Amino acid sequence: MQTTKTPYELLVRWDQSGALQGAHVQYRYVIRDGDDVIGETIGQALPLTLGVADGFPLGDLLSQVQIDALTAAVAERDTALARVAELEAILDAVQSVATPDQPI
């Protein structure tokens, strides 16, 4: 009898603001007796990680180039979102001092 463990499902969730909230992986366990499958289960969702940790390592799914590109894209997105927030604050400040007689 032999049990094999293989990745089954990758789950990615975003929060209400659109920010990445978390990623998990589930494993499929198959119990075989020779060629006969005698049991199969799907395990609990485990955290997906960039490094080697308790969760499923992202490096097993993506190449280092892809991981680097993903990390750079997240940093670029965060920088852009910070700039948007900064510009919105400036716009709010300008709009708060504008009067109907003095449009922006």
Side-chain angles (χ1 to χ4, degrees), residues 3-26:
T3 301
T4 58
K5 172 185 169 184
T6 56
Y8 171 74
E9 186 171 48
L10 178 62
L11 308 164
V12 180
R13 292 176 190 85
W14 287 264
D15 65 14
Q16 292 176 347
S17 69
L20 184 63
Q21 184 175 20
H24 294 78
V25 68
Q26 287 182 295

Side-chain angles (χ1 to χ4, degrees), residues 3-73:
T3 301
T4 58
K5 172 185 169 184
T6 56
Y8 171 74
E9 186 171 48
L10 178 62
L11 308 164
V12 180
R13 292 176 190 85
W14 287 264
D15 65 14
Q16 292 176 347
S17 69
L20 184 63
Q21 184 175 20
H24 294 78
V25 68
Q26 287 182 295
Y27 290 99
R28 176 177 171 232
Y29 297 89
V30 178
I31 303 167
R32 296 180 184 274
D33 188 7
D35 291 336
D36 298 329
V37 174
I38 58 173
E40 181 176 328
T41 61
I42 304 300
Q44 68 180 17
L46 300 172
L48 186 67
T49 61
L50 284 174
V52 177
D54 291 339
F56 188 88
L58 189 55
D60 286 355
L61 294 176
L62 304 175
S63 71
Q64 189 59 49
V65 170
Q66 292 167 321
I67 291 170
D68 293 346
L70 181 59
T71 302

